[in-house]
Amino acid sequence: MEHVLGYVALAAGLIIGLGANGACIGIGIMGSKYLESAARQPELMNELQTKMFLLAGLIDAAFLIGVGLAMMFTFANPFVLK
């Protein structure tokens, strides 16, 4: 049973860590592309900004879903038989 709890803790750490890493890289690339496109066409900055914030929320939501799954496996573990 202790092995299962150890593996679940390791998996939860990987889910949260890799999800945060991916979200940070994705938002960083998206922000740089937004600044690039706003510098090229300043008249489209308001439309681009709206789309950028929408996508930032979706990227963040995908990470938070991963955090929720990791917490579910940590606190309500379906793999531990009591």
Side-chain angles (χ1 to χ4, degrees):
M1 172 145 159
E2 289 80 21
H3 292 325
V4 172
L5 293 176
Y7 289 142
V8 167
L10 182 64
L14 284 173
I15 289 170
I16 293 172
L18 292 175
N21 193 13
C24 290
I25 290 171
I27 289 178
I29 291 172
M30 183 185 56
S32 72
K33 296 295 180 181
Y34 164 70
L35 289 176
E36 242 178 67
S37 61
R40 287 180 190 263
Q41 292 184 326
E43 66 273 4
L44 294 177
M45 194 158 45
N46 288 335
E47 293 176 30
L48 293 172
Q49 186 177 20
T50 303
K51 291 176 184 174
M52 186 196 71
F53 282 129
L54 178 68
L55 287 174
L58 290 174
I59 290 171
D60 229 14
F63 165 64
L64 289 177
I65 288 170
V67 170
L69 284 173
M71 293 297 118
M72 182 191 75
F73 286 139
T74 302
F75 296 116
N77 195 343
F79 302 115
V80 176
L81 301 173
K82 294 180 181 181

